Amino acid sequence: MIQRTRWKTLTDGARTRGASSRSGARRRWLGVLAVLTLGVGIGTAPHHDSAAATATELTRPVRTCESLTQLTFADGTTVTSAAQTAATPAICNVTLVVPESNGISMALPVDNWNGRFHGAGAGGYGGWLSPEQVAAPARAGYASAGTDGGHTGSPLDGSWAWSPTGMNASLINDFAYRSAHEMTVKGKAITTAYYGRAPDHSYWNSCSGGGRMGLMEAQRFPEDYDGILAAAPALNADRFVPAGMWPQVVMRESGNFVPRCKFEEFTRAAVAACDARDGVTDGVVDPQTCAFDPAGLVGRQTPCGRITAEDATVMKRIWDGPRRSNGSRLWYGIPRGAPLSAYAGTAETDGLPNPLPGDWFKYWLAKDPNWDWHTLTSADFATYFEQSRREYGPLLATDDPDLSDFRDSHGKMIIWHGWADEVIMPQGSVDYYTRLLATMGGKVKTERFARLFMAPGVQHCVDGPGAFPADPLADLVKWVEQGQAPDTLFARNGDMTRPLCRWPAVARYTGQGSTDDAANFRCSGK
């Protein structure tokens, strides 16, 4: 396997370049992330409606499931359990631990292996993987494996990276790249031992932090996977994670913690103002073309009071995103149309920071478990932001646009991201893909192996008024195994269907037929 020497690891002792309402908020966020992770396992699980994506021959095991516990690895990896289910279809569930603490879960179909390997990764700060993320692909015939990111715990708890004696370099390296690669290597070894032959093709399929892991695989270990499906990838983690604290900084400095219902009114107004630009009024907007000015709502009455000029200023700065004191941009803001409650949570006269950026500042930047976010000024924010880029960019940005090794290994990649993502600013995916185009020789050459699809109205991984991809893994399989590159991704939300277009094109209504039917939309603006 190829590992480029220019990549950094975090070494011990060194830095690489380059109250009840609050605990309640944390519990709510944990629940949200759990639902999202489970939703990813269900929403992107392969079901392959198209027969063209079906393997030519099914393979049965050459040994019992329980015998897998007898396998040994030179690096001390242990198979901690292996048991076959009694349900139909029968599944061989396997767990492994790679030293020191990389947990791997596997699910191997007993009767209907399609010859493919399927990898998935953990979201947030890792530490937990939805069982459905591993089980669903196995029911569809894949030898399926997933990683917990190198440690156990809540995906909203970033404290594991810190210790009183310094940052836990080994755990951070595991989280950044090693856990995904080790899961892939060990997962393929288990698969080969169980079925008596190696997988014909290998696919990565994951969202959010798992999407980032997939892109890291392409960048560091380009021969691990034939196809990579990265949904709402947590690229630029060194930037988007601290950027999630910006709304709280804006409100604290202004002395105006805007209540939720006012934020919801701003969002409704922005959607109403920009909704019909694709030819349909359906609550779905493209924030690229929406410049709604919140000042237009000053004086409007809401259930939590009249909107003030100060409220509008806060809203404008949150949508705009973090900037330095000289006005230069640090990162992107929450896009118009996306929910604001993720990062702009408030409780009466105080803010409720999301634990994702909250723990980043406390443990990864300030490195002080007693750090109080109320002390954070906009000037301090800029300083911490640059520190974040300097210390963690080389490890966690996952934004290397040189994918020549992945391309040369005949890999294919689909990235998709919802324009209403409230957690990971979707502009970051566009930024990365734009640089990918420039590095890899332009649109024509890049689209031979990597394509980006943006999904208007889709929130983080799932949900929202927009349509999200129905079976993008089937599209990826066709591309890898039959050479059929997807021109669009078929997307669905209930009875509504849409084509998701290759960036920068957008779907527009033709003016004829049902507005719920994807057949009546055309991609334009390529």
Side-chain angles (χ1 to χ4, degrees), residues 492-513:
R492 178 185 297 278
N493 188 343
D495 294 331
M496 178 185 73
T497 62
R498 289 283 191 277
L500 299 186
C501 307
R502 287 150 46 201
W503 186 86
V506 295
R508 299 192 184 281
Y509 179 51
T510 62
Q512 297 180 336

Side-chain angles (χ1 to χ4, degrees), residues 91-379:
I91 301 294
C92 172
N93 291 316
V94 185
T95 59
L96 302 87
V97 176
V98 179
E100 295 177 353
S101 58
N102 285 280
I104 299 171
S105 298
M106 296 191 67
L108 307 170
V110 175
D111 298 314
N112 64 328
W113 184 44
N114 60 19
R116 303 183 181 111
F117 178 81
H118 181 287
Y125 284 110
W128 178 80
L129 190 73
S130 162
E132 189 67 10
Q133 280 185 270
V134 178
R139 291 196 298 269
Y142 287 76
S144 175
T147 173
D148 61 10
H151 59 276
T152 58
S154 165
L156 289 176
D157 182 0
S159 65
W160 54 264
W162 174 88
S163 77
T165 58
M167 299 301 287
N168 289 314
S170 179
L171 290 181
I172 294 174
N173 289 331
D174 284 346
F175 177 65
Y177 67 90
R178 184 170 173 262
S179 60
H181 178 59
E182 288 292 340
M183 177 272 289
T184 303
V185 173
K186 300 306 192 298
K188 289 182 181 180
I190 292 291
T191 299
T192 301
Y194 189 53
Y195 296 111
R197 68 178 183 88
D200 298 318
H201 296 93
S202 298
Y203 297 92
W204 182 274
N205 172 24
S206 219
C207 187
S208 193
R212 181 199 64 80
M213 289 181 177
L215 284 165
M216 183 65 87
E217 281 287 288
Q219 294 169 23
R220 282 192 180 242
F221 307 100
E223 295 182 351
D224 275 3
Y225 289 91
D226 301 293
I228 292 176
L229 175 58
L235 297 170
N236 318 294
D238 58 319
R239 283 155 282 176
F240 93 79
V241 177
M245 186 65 83
W246 180 248
Q248 300 294 333
V249 175
V250 169
M251 289 189 288
R252 193 201 66 78
E253 286 198 328
S254 70
N256 181 22
F257 290 98
V258 179
R260 179 170 182 158
C261 84
K262 289 187 178 182
F263 280 133
E264 291 173 344
E265 187 63 24
F266 281 122
T267 298
R268 278 193 294 268
V271 170
C274 303
D275 191 359
R277 296 184 181 181
D278 61 354
V280 181
T281 301
D282 55 1
V284 175
V285 300
D286 181 349
Q288 297 178 106
T289 62
C290 185
F292 173 76
D293 187 351
L297 292 191
V298 172
R300 179 173 294 188
Q301 188 65 45
T302 74
C304 48
R306 193 178 301 277
I307 292 176
T308 66
E310 291 77 15
D311 296 334
T313 298
V314 166
M315 184 70 266
K316 186 173 184 178
R317 293 186 67 192
I318 290 175
W319 275 338
D320 181 55
R323 292 183 180 271
R324 299 177 182 86
S325 57
N326 64 7
S328 60
R329 179 173 299 285
L330 288 167
W331 197 239
Y332 305 100
I334 301 169
R336 287 169 173 79
L340 295 157
S341 56
Y343 292 139
T346 59
E348 297 179 354
T349 60
D350 200 1
L352 294 174
N354 183 296
L356 187 65
D359 275 12
W360 188 264
F361 275 88
K362 179 179 291 187
Y363 297 106
W364 295 62
L365 298 177
K367 300 178 174 66
D368 178 3
N370 297 313
W371 180 81
D372 182 1
W373 76 271
H374 295 89
T375 66
L376 187 62
T377 66
S378 55

Side-chain angles (χ1 to χ4, degrees), residues 421-442:
D421 195 325
E422 73 280 24
V423 178
I424 301 173
M425 297 72 176
Q427 305 95 313
S429 286
V430 172
D431 176 89
Y432 174 71
Y433 193 73
T434 300
R435 293 188 299 109
L436 183 66
L437 296 178
T439 303
M440 301 307 298

